[in-house]
Amino acid sequence: MNLRLLAAILRRKAPVANLLRELSEALFAEVRCDGMRFDLTDERGGLWSRIVKAGQDPERPALGAVARLRTREAFEVTQEEGVHQVVVPLGIGEPASGRWTLRRRSVPFSETELDAVRGIADVLSLGLRARTLEPPPKPRGPFEEGPLV
């Protein structure tokens, strides 16, 4: 498992939205899955979510597709209609500050893969805390219409 690469990506001083493509490519190399979703709480307590599929850019899920974070998130391994899913709480301390969900259709996640996922979740929890999620808006040009930033 190459946690150094993940740590190097997360050490950059950039918003999560700018790092997510490269971070997810490194995660797909570590854990075999079809797709993953990141659900993180933002500065105002709202939920910031992105779905990432192998080889594609991260995209925002549809409205209502993401459940709110529970006060007690737990590590869960489930299987529904041939889709195997692992839900990993992210954050330090009791209330989870995020959730990382992995899905795949082929075979269930093995114990060694689940141990690797737990280790990666620890690195993600440390690297994603106190980080802005979206880049700041670009300032308005002198001849553009719209609100001043």
Side-chain angles (χ1 to χ4, degrees), residues 44-104:
R44 297 169 305 221
L47 197 60
W48 183 91
S49 297
R50 292 296 181 270
I51 295 173
V52 186
K53 294 181 181 169
Q56 296 180 3
D57 285 330
E59 54 190 45
R60 181 176 286 157
L63 286 177
V66 179
R68 305 286 306 158
L69 285 176
R70 297 181 294 235
T71 54
R72 289 189 170 264
E73 286 286 328
F75 189 89
E76 294 179 47
V77 180
T78 60
Q79 190 245 344
E80 289 181 20
E81 300 175 8
V83 177
H84 303 280
Q85 178 172 297
V86 176
V87 179
V88 184
L90 297 176
I92 299 171
E94 186 61 37
S97 61
R99 176 176 50 221
W100 179 39
T101 306
L102 301 149
R103 291 185 179 143
R104 75 175 175 204

